[in-house]
């Protein structure tokens, strides 16, 4: 089987992290976002992954070459010269997706993090005999999304309602699809939306089916959702393979610590924290609801909550970093500095406190 991952644009919502690497390579739970998806695809027998990309393809490919051999899966790029929306890239990658087997192929959005029940999806797809299957997830506030209206017992999709004012259902498109090759005949090579143009047509012919995603789901394309997504991911890890989570008297709740990181005495870490490779956390540090990426140093008695600390940054002694502060790569926060929601671009030194949420150039 094959799969296409829609890598797409510039990742503006996750700046300043995406100023250093393309969004799919931003670390999530100690590995690049896109690797979570590639590993899930490999696990159910996908042999080739095509990345639909229009931004820095060489950076992505150079990085993923290592994983090709490690995982034993072929990774290729289909490069857009202009943004083609969510359906155009499928037409562009047509030759890479179609072979003689006639097997359906997966399409995933690179921002989505979930439990990826792809094996169940293949079984579901075979059982209904339609042309396309989409994964849907239940949400509390359907009015913020496009809602999928479906027949509960069979999963047959009736229609899509964009940001409904009145309640029509609570299931939304989760950005994971399984499509028969015939779907490609419906797509022209131009900027096209699969959600707004292609799926409604297939639904109109009663050939589109939706499967409700078990477990958690999050689009982690922006900082607030990234932090929520980490909580959901670690919670899921606790249920499935809790041995991967850190334990000890200084750990509260779910915490993921890379084996090469060092943690000093008298720290209190958690809940919902990921500490990446080579990090140094000095004594008396307090961390909660945050991601600390590769090579970060957090000095004595610093306190970090609800924030993302980018690669190779430093947080000084007695500093306090909170309220969705995002530090880009190689940012150095001096001792005793307070950051309330600062978004700091790479390669900066912060010598004075950031008292209200703002972007620091």
């Amino acid at each position: 089987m094959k799969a296409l991952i829609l890598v797409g644009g510039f990742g503006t919502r996750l700046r300043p992290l995406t100023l250093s690497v393309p969004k799919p390579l931003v670390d999530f739970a100690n590995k690049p976002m896109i690797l979570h998806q590639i590993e899930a695809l490999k696990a159910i027998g996908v042999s080739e992954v095509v990345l639909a990309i229009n931004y820095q393809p060489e950076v992505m490919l150079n990085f993923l070459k290592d994983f090709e051999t490690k995982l034993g899966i072929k990774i290729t790029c289909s490069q857009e010269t202009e943004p083609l929306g969510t359906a155009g890239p499928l037409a562009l990658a047509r030759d890479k997706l179609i072979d003689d087997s006639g097997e359906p192929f997966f399409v995933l959005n690179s921002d989505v993090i979930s439990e990826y029940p792809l094996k169940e999806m293949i079984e579901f797809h075979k059982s209904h005999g339609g042309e396309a299957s989409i994964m849907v997830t239940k949400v509390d506030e359907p009015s913020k999304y496009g809602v999928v209206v479906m027949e509960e017992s069979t999963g047959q999709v009736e229609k899509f309602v964009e940001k409904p004012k009145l309640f029509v259902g609570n299931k939304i498109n989760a950005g994971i699809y399984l499509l028969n090759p015939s779907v490609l005949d419906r797509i022209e090579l131009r900027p096209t939306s699969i959600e707004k143009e292609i799926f409604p047509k297939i639904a109109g012919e009663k050939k589109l089916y939706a499967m409700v995603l078990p477990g958690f789901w999050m689009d982690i394309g922006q900082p607030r959702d990234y932090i929520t997504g980490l909580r959901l991911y670690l919670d899921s890890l606790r249920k499935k393979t809790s041995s991967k989570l850190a334990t000890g008297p200084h750990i509260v709740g779910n915490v993921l610590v890379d084996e090469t990181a060092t943690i000093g005495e008298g720290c209190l870490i958690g809940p919902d924290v990921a500490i990446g490779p080579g990090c140094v956390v000095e004594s008396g540090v307090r961390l909660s609801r945050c991601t600390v990426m590769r090579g970060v140093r957090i000095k004595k008695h610093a306190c970090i909550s609800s924030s993302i600390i980018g690669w190779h940054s430093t947080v000084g002694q007695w500093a306090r970093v909170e309220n969705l502060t995002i530090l880009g790569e190689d940012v150095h926060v001096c001792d005793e500095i307070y950051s309330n929601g600062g978004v700091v671009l790479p390669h900066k030194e912060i010598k004075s406190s950031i008292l209200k949420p703002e972007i620091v150039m």
Side-chain angles (χ1 to χ4, degrees):
M1 285 187 83
K2 297 187 177 186
L4 178 90
I5 300 179
L6 294 165
V7 173
F10 302 114
T12 47
R13 296 178 307 163
L14 262 190
R15 283 181 184 162
L17 302 168
T18 48
L19 295 173
S20 297
V21 297
K23 182 171 59 179
L25 300 185
V26 170
D27 298 336
F28 176 83
N30 291 356
K31 61 183 167 193
M33 254 181 231
I34 200 165
L35 209 53
H36 291 273
Q37 299 186 330
I38 293 174
E39 285 175 353
L41 289 164
K42 167 69 185 167
I44 53 120
V46 168
S47 58
E48 182 176 349
V49 174
V50 182
L51 307 175
I53 190 165
N54 66 9
Y55 178 57
Q56 294 187 315
E58 50 295 320
V59 181
M60 288 279 287
L61 273 183
N62 291 345
F63 176 86
L64 291 166
K65 279 289 168 243
D66 298 347
F67 290 103
E68 265 199 327
T69 29
K70 272 184 209 159
L71 294 171
I73 189 168
K74 188 176 171 192
I75 300 171
T76 55
C77 260
S78 169
Q79 193 189 353
E80 309 168 17
T81 47
E82 55 163 342
L84 289 170
T86 50
L90 277 74
L92 187 65
R94 181 189 179 102
D95 296 346
K96 290 182 156 82
L97 292 171
I98 286 197
D99 54 23
D100 303 333
S101 70
E103 284 286 315
F105 57 89
F106 282 102
V107 177
L108 283 78
N109 282 326
S110 67
D111 295 356
V112 167
I113 208 91
S114 76
E115 282 173 17
Y116 307 118
L118 305 178
K119 192 164 177 266
E120 295 84 336
M121 195 171 188
I122 294 171
E123 287 159 13
F124 172 74
H125 187 75
K126 284 180 178 159
S127 71
H128 65 64
E131 194 174 3
S133 301
I134 65 173
M135 203 81 89
V136 293
T137 185
K138 292 179 183 170
V139 290
D140 296 334
E141 289 183 62
S143 60
K144 289 188 349 196
Y145 303 93
V147 173
V148 181
V149 181
M150 56 190 268
E151 221 277 298
E152 290 299 322
S153 55
T154 61
Q156 192 176 79
V157 175
E158 293 165 14
K159 60 179 177 178
F160 296 84
V161 184
E162 192 56 42
K163 296 185 178 163
K165 297 276 186 286
L166 298 169
F167 184 84
V168 290
N170 64 348
K171 296 182 191 71
I172 65 162
N173 180 345
I176 300 171
Y177 318 132
L178 187 54
L179 311 177
N180 286 353
S182 57
V183 172
L184 293 171
D185 300 334
R186 300 172 176 269
I187 304 171
E188 294 173 29
L189 183 51
R190 60 176 177 84
T192 322
S193 162
I194 197 164
E195 301 83 4
K196 294 184 177 140
E197 297 177 61
I198 310 302
F199 286 158
K201 281 184 191 155
I202 303 175
E205 294 173 25
K206 303 202 177 335
K207 291 179 182 171
L208 182 65
Y209 289 79
M211 172 182 155
V212 180
L213 179 74
F216 79 99
W217 176 89
M218 201 73 211
D219 175 336
I220 55 171
Q222 47 193 343
R224 186 181 300 279
D225 297 338
Y226 176 105
I227 289 168
T228 304
L230 183 65
R231 173 174 64 78
L232 297 171
Y233 174 84
L234 293 176
D235 208 33
S236 162
L237 204 58
R238 161 80 60 203
K239 293 178 188 132
K240 287 162 114 173
T241 42
S242 61
S243 58
K244 290 186 178 173
L245 295 172
T247 51
H250 60 299
I251 300 287
V252 185
N254 299 330
V255 176
L256 194 61
V257 181
D258 186 272
E259 57 194 17
T260 60
T262 58
I263 294 174
E265 298 203 341
C267 291
L268 189 58
I269 294 178
D272 310 321
V273 172
I275 298 175
C279 290
V280 176
V281 179
E282 294 182 4
S283 57
V285 166
R286 174 74 182 104
L287 302 178
S288 63
R289 297 183 307 285
C290 64
T291 286
V292 179
M293 292 185 182
R294 185 180 59 251
V296 166
R297 185 177 203 98
I298 298 171
K299 296 187 178 173
K300 291 175 185 168
H301 307 295
C303 176
I304 300 172
S305 67
S306 301
S307 296
I308 303 174
I309 311 299
W311 310 270
H312 307 290
S313 292
T314 312
V315 176
Q317 295 187 31
W318 296 101
R320 188 178 179 96
V321 172
E322 62 188 24
N323 190 22
L324 283 181
T325 289
I326 316 292
L327 304 185
E329 181 183 14
D330 180 41
V331 168
H332 303 281
V333 175
C334 293
D335 295 351
E336 299 179 29
I337 290 294
Y338 172 57
S339 171
N340 172 22
V343 172
V344 185
L345 272 65
H347 316 298
K348 291 285 296 178
E349 188 176 26
I350 300 296
K351 292 178 179 170
S352 55
S353 290
I354 300 167
L355 300 176
K356 61 180 200 306
E358 62 176 308
I359 295 172
V360 178
M361 309 285 277

